Amino acid sequence: MGLFEKKIFFIVCHDAGGAEIISSWLKKKKIKFFGTITGPAKNIFKRKNLKFINRKNLSEIKKIDLVLAGSGWTSKNEVKAIITAKKFKKKSICFLDHWRNYKSRFYYKKKYHYPDEIWVGDKYAKKEAKKNFKRIKIKLINNPYWDFLKKNKVKNKIQTNKKILIATNNFDEGKFLFKKKLKITDLQYLNKTVNYVKKNFKTKNIFLKIHPSEKKEKYKQIIKKHKYSKIKIETEIDIIKLLSKYTSLIACETNLLPLAKIMGLNTLNLFINNKNFRVVPKPYFDKYLYI
């Protein structure tokens, strides 16, 4: 464990992306910790059999050596933990799990609150982080979750029975600014994608992976209203079990694309005609989908 051998960690995670990475790192390093684990992160930590004491009160940070947090959209616990760490003069580290909107992840109550150190898992994220954070130490580490996926990659995936997974994006959610700037809705995206699959894949095995910020009821209504009776909603939350079921993934600039490529799927990234939104590095998916 090196530098972390005798450190006491306080972990803060909510969103799935950061939780998968941080939980994989903790399991690999066999580090004992406690912290605030909420939302989708709770099931991820539970699935990996990580034992810890969950703390709702961030003031417990005063008892530890350092804070390690994710950097999600749907929770401000991570930023609050950074603020609390500074209050008690504790070191804070944040793992960035994507390639977009870095600074806004640290915005809270009209101010930016940055950690002492930022970790990234690939050279593209490191380049983007260095561009955004001039005075913060940026550390590149092997993405522990990607390493885990590579070890569990399904070899010689059978292609005869094609199963297509479409990942939704929640374009309708205002804070992502997709609807305003890209002129696209979730229904339009789904319509175009389904028509493409029917024409090019000639399969009825179409499933939807709902974005963590969405409710299943939203797509149940869309499926019923537009008579997509053949489409089923995927309920598996374990990424390895999920991706092992499919031969292709169609998504749009999501972190699921590199995970699927690692697992051996054919990965299609919906092309967005706005370079500011094209953020997943090209080596992490097979090709753009123009529809």
Side-chain angles (χ1 to χ4, degrees), residues 203-225:
T203 180
K204 295 180 179 179
N205 294 318
I206 305 175
F207 292 76
L208 287 184
K209 172 70 173 68
I210 308 300
H211 190 276
S213 65
E214 297 178 292
K215 295 185 181 297
K216 295 177 184 177
E217 287 70 22
K218 171 181 176 178
Y219 286 94
K220 286 180 179 178
Q221 292 174 1
I222 290 177
I223 289 170
K224 183 178 180 180
K225 182 177 180 180

Side-chain angles (χ1 to χ4, degrees), residues 141-171:
I141 67 172
N142 285 333
N143 189 313
Y145 186 47
W146 288 8
D147 289 342
F148 178 72
L149 288 177
K150 288 173 185 176
K151 291 179 181 178
N152 289 274
K153 179 179 178 179
V154 178
K155 296 181 179 179
N156 301 319
K157 183 179 284 291
I158 298 174
Q159 299 291 331
T160 54
N161 184 23
K162 294 181 179 179
K163 293 184 68 177
I164 313 301
L165 182 64
I166 300 173
T168 69
N169 280 73
N170 202 5
F171 288 121

